């Protein structure tokens, strides 16, 4: 009698998994304990061993298939002496073949007008969605989406039910997820019964005020872009925050010595004047070099590990904000960083930066210390996976070697994208950054 091989529960909480790879093929003989497949869960890829002996009569679920429910039949085993063809035929009549939607599937491959024998209909029905999206399917609460679309949405942290499908019969396909922007939802759109609108409609807001008590300032392109990107960031990036106090006395002393030693040109101006922010940029760059797994960006299918520390620096411009990037900052001297930042900031305020000078990078520095701000948190600017917020250096009483002494202390707060940088990794990066600020001579090597 044919033996059904089912999707195993590899953890107590596992409800479904991805059949990543078959290590056997139909017709292969297997023994108890043989590794026959690799299953992906949300945490790891694990091997599956055969429990019984026999011949693989039928592979029911192709490798690459996602969202396979626990206990679903994935293959059929013919016992020793049993007719393999008969077992395969019986399996085919009872459990239809479920094929994968490959990860590299094109939009045309995922857009099908109606279910076909090759479409993973069963897996789609049992995908486990509990959203209250109302598709065009006669009032059913089930969300129609391709497995590829579901995977991309899950990786981006997007509620699949909040996306409008462009495929046949409202089916959500890959391009719908990739082009989805939470900020693009119509006013009053709801998700899980809670309004996601950022504000009331314009006419309702204006109706709250006397007509002569305000003036209208239309959004320019920059304001719209800032609003869209930061709204998207706050709604889609699972950010967490770490704060540290850093002592600056050694850094301030070194800065004074370096600036006093700067050569003076014919115009009687020093060749450079290093700021505390220049030290901060350099420290962040070296910390990323020392903790390379944190020097990364998130995409829907992969992480990008950067080979250099490209550090963005938030620069305030009239009615806006822009983040020019110091490329390969870990390789540059403090004086080079200082002069480059002065040039970038000047051209940023004049809106003369080239796109490659403010696009990309993996992290950013936002410094409000010069405004007397003690500490604050910043919103991560994709594709960055981190940003550090710099407060003012303040004289504080601290305990050192058992004695109470005065020190210049600055609070720094990191925001990390948890999809890329886990807590321990973020702490390592923050610790490396603090070490460079408190022992700044290491930045001169």
């Amino acid at each position: 009698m044919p033996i059904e091989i089912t999707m195993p529960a590899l953890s107590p909480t596992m409800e479904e998994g991805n059949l990543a790879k078959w290590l056997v093929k139909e017709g292969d003989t297997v023994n108890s304990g043989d590794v026959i497949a690799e299953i992906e869960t949300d945490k790891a890829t694990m091997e599956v061993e055969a429990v019984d002996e026999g011949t693989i009569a039928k592979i029911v679920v192709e490798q690459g298939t996602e969202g396979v429910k626990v206990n679903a039949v994935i293959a059929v085993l013919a016992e020793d002496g049993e007719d393999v063809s008969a077992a395969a035929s019986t399996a085919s009549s009872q459990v239809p073949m479920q094929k994968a939607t490959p990860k590299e599937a094109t939009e045309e491959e995922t857009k099908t007008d109606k279910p076909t024998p090759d479409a993973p209909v069963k897996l789609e029905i049992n995908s486990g969605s509990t959203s209250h999206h109302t598709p065009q399917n006669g009032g059913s609460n089930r969300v129609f989406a391709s497995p590829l679309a579901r995977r991309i949405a899950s990786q981006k942290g997007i509620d699949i039910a909040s996306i409008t499908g462009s495929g046949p019969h409202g089916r959500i396909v890959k391009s719908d997820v990739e082009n989805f922007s939470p900020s693009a939802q119509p006013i009053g759109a709801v998700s899980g019964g809670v309004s996601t609108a950022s504000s009331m409609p314009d006419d309702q807001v204006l109706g709250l005020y006397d007509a002569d008590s305000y003036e209208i300032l239309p959004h320019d392109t920059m304001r719209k872009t800032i609003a869209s990107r930061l709204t998207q960031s706050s709604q889609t990036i699972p950010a967490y925050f770490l704060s540290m106090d850093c002592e600056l006395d050694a850094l301030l002393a070194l800065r004074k010595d370096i600036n006093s030693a700067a050569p003076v040109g014919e115009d009687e101006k020093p060749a450079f004047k290093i700021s505390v922010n220049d030290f901060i940029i350099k420290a962040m760059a070296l910390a990323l070099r020392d903790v390379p797994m944190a020097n990364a960006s998130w995409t829907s299918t992969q992480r990008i590990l950067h080979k250099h520390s490209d550090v963005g620096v938030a620069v305030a411009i009239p009615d806006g904000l822009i983040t020019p990037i110091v490329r390969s900052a870990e390789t540059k001297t403090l004086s080079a960083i200082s002069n480059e930042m002065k040039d970038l900031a000047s051209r940023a305020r004049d809106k003369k930066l080239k796109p490659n000078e403010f696009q990309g990078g993996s992290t950013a520095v936002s410094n409000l210390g010069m405004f007397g701000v003690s500490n604050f948190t910043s919103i991560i600017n994709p594709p960055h996976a981190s940003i550090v917020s710099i407060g003012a250096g303040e004289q504080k009483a601290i305990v050192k070697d058992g004695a109470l002494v005065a020190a210049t202390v600055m609070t720094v707060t990191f925001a990390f994208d948890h999809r890329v940088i886990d807590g321990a990794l973020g702490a390592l990066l923050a610790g490396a950054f603090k070490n460079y600020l408190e022992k700044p001579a290491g930045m001169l090597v």
Side-chain angles (χ1 to χ4, degrees), residues 43-56:
K43 296 292 185 183
T45 298
M46 304 179 71
E47 295 178 337
V48 176
E49 296 181 356
V51 177
D52 302 288
E53 298 180 351
T55 302
I56 300 294

Side-chain angles (χ1 to χ4, degrees), residues 360-380:
S362 62
T363 193
V365 170
S366 181
N367 191 344
L368 294 180
M370 69 284 294
F371 297 105
V373 176
S374 297
N375 63 81
F376 66 103
T377 58
S378 299
I379 297 175
I380 297 169

Side-chain angles (χ1 to χ4, degrees), residues 149-173:
R150 290 184 185 278
R151 178 173 62 83
I152 296 174
S154 175
Q155 291 170 338
K156 287 188 172 185
I158 298 173
D159 179 5
I160 195 75
S162 64
I163 302 174
T164 300
S166 63
H169 310 294
R171 179 183 174 90
I172 300 169
V173 292

Side-chain angles (χ1 to χ4, degrees), residues 124 127 129 143-155 160:
E124 189 175 298
S127 62
S129 174
V143 178
F144 286 92
S146 70
L148 182 61
R150 290 184 185 278
R151 178 173 62 83
I152 296 174
S154 175
Q155 291 170 338
I160 195 75

